[in-house]
Structures are given as C-alpha cells and as structure tokens.
Amino acid sequence: MSKLPEMLTIGQVAERSGVPHTALRFYEDRGLIASVRTAGNQRRYQRSVLRRLAFIRTAQRVGLSLEDVRDALAQLPDNRTPTKSDWERLSRSWKAELDARIDALYRLRDRLTGCIGCGCLSLRSCALQNIDDEQASHGPGAPQLKPVVEGGTL
Amino acid sequence: MSKLPEMLTIGQVAERSGVPHTALRFYEDRGLIASVRTAGNQRRYQRSVLRRLAFIRTAQRVGLSLEDVRDALAQLPDNRTPTKSDWERLSRSWKAELDARIDALYRLRDRLTGCIGCGCLSLRSCALQNIDDEQASHGPGAPQLKPVVEGGTL
DNA sequence: GTTCAACCTCGACCATGCTGGAGGTCAAGC
DNA sequence: GCTTGACCTCCAGCATGGTCGAGGTTGAAC
C-alpha cells in the first residue's frame, strides 16, 4: 500500500525516457510536462511523465509540433488518473489530426507511385499535375494560384 | 514549334506557385530549385520549377525536411526531361520514406484509439504501454532506455 | 561536517526555415 | 531618357526546438 508516490528525479526521468534533461526543462517551460519541487527546489516527477514523454516524442517523430502536443495533452488532467472520457476527448482530437496527415502522405505517395505507372514522360495527363491543389491554403505569401502546371519536365 | 523555352520571372513563379519570392531564393540557395540568369543578373525559371515547388511544399506539409526533399530531387536531372528510370529511382526512395511515416502515424493513432477500447484506467495491459519502443533510436541524449512504463496514470 | 555528483537558473548559442529591410540595379512603358 | 515597379545582394531578425556552459545550491554518503 504505497502512500508515497515515489517521485523521480530529473536525472532518472532523463535516463528512463531517453529524453535529455535539457529537453525536460524545456518541455516543462512550454507546459508539456509538470513537476513538483522539493524543499530544496529540485524537480520531482510522477512516473506518469514517462508516458507523456513517450507520447510527445512519438508525436514529434510524425511531424506534430510541441504546441499540437501540448494542446492535446492539456485535455488530460494533471493531478488525477484520466477517466475514460478524458481519453476519448484526447483521442478524438488526435485521431482527426493523424488521419489528416496520413491522408496527405497517402496522396503524396500515390501520386508519385502513379507516375511510375504512367511513365511521366508526357505529364499532361499525369496525376502529379494536380498536386498543386495541396498548397491552396499554405501559409503567407503571394495570394494564390492559377493552376498553371503545364505539360513538360519536372 | 517553340524553340525558346519561355522562362518565368521570380515574380511570376511566386504568383503561380504561391511560394513567396523570399522562399524561392532560399530554396535556390539550398539547392532545391535552379534558375538561369539574364544578362542583367535576374533569375529566370523553367516552367518545370512549378512542379518541383508543388512537390517541395507538399512534402514539407507532411513533415519532410528540405534536406530530404533536396536529396530526393537531386536524383532528377536538372537539364533534361526525366526518364522513366529517373522517376523510378526518386519514387522508390520517397515511397520508403513515406511508407515509414505512414506506418508511424498509424501506430500512434491506433494505439490511441486502442486506449479508448481498453478504458485505459488500468494501463498495465494497454498498448500505450509499449509506445516507448518508438524512441529507441531517437536523437542524442541519455544513452537509453530501460523500458520503465509501469501501470499508473498518464 | 565535508565531499561531490546531481541539481538549479539564466543566458548565449545552434540548426532549420524562413521574412523583411536597406541600398542599389534592371527593364518596360511613356 | 526618365520613371517606376520588379528585381538584385546582403544581412538582421523571428519562431521552433532545442544544447551548452557559467556560476551557484542541494543532498546523500562517508
């Protein structure tokens, strides 16, 4: 019957998670993880931080920003075990994001693959031709976008 | 029978591609696109640059770095129409990269989704528990990685 | 009670992927 | 031949996602 939660030091978290201590402080700064402090001002982490970190790192590997991750994790309670509905909310919002990214990747890959099939020497009818659709809402810059990819060479 | 290739100015490329001229110079600097110069030192682009740009932007949106893109595009010839085998090489290398990313996204999503199913109140048997595998080779930092996610709260 | 690794803060610095401005040149239209 | 917008180079700056080091404190072991 452990009443004391057995907190982890930053060094232990770094070692166990594989995340450098510098990054741990950085994540804390950005609100992705939390710690409590000892009387001497040292960080102590709940074990649950390890799972959060695994989450963060995995999400980053697939191209999500720390801000995305922070927003998602913000839906989970800091101080209690997440309920099923906590999970459902997080999961739903992530799923949409992940689905969108998977979809974009598929389209990119399939277009490329399609180009092998079509030979791509005459691109006028090639699937790649319409790839431009993708940038319609891409960041700042010139307004947009007469779809002007004519047949020719890449 | 057009003998003159009808080159585009940087402003035209910016407008048609939606990529700001500042970014175009940046990409050229990094070797992702090429231009020729007029007698007066102004850039002129082949129309094919539009397709390269569409490619670059789409790839970026799915999380590939400019370096990745540059390496991939480097396999295409600058000065002639790509042959089928040029395309096949590019396509193969990209496909592997994209497949890997799609896979990572699927696993992340499915694990999350799986957690709804399992309730995730007792995580000891949850798929998320093993998510740590993913970071085994993740960048610099502490060596690695006793797999220490115990049952508990996220 | 001293030692010494591990911890703290703060600020500088790095890479990537750009944007924006200064100061000057080019080129097409009148 | 002059105007004017589009172009040029170079360099500073910004956001993100960190790392590194200086200078000081903590805490567990001896």
Side-chain angles (χ1 to χ4, degrees), chain B residues 29-47:
Chain B
D29 211 55
R30 300 300 180 90
L32 281 94
I33 59 175
S35 63
V36 293
R37 298 300 179 110
T38 64
N41 199 34
Q42 297 197 352
R43 289 173 178 82
R44 290 297 180 270
Y45 296 93
Q46 295 185 339
R47 287 179 186 285

Side-chain angles (χ1 to χ4, degrees), chain A residues 36-44:
Chain A
V36 294
R37 299 299 179 111
T38 64
N41 199 36
Q42 296 196 353
R43 289 175 179 81
R44 289 297 180 273

Side-chain angles (χ1 to χ4, degrees), chain A residues 48 61 99 109 134 153, chain B residues 48 51 61 99 109 134 153:
Chain A
S48 63
R61 275 192 48 197
D99 282 347
R109 189 189 65 178
E134 310 255 332
T153 71
Chain B
S48 63
R51 207 167 303 110
R61 276 191 47 197
D99 281 347
R109 189 189 65 178
E134 310 255 331
T153 71

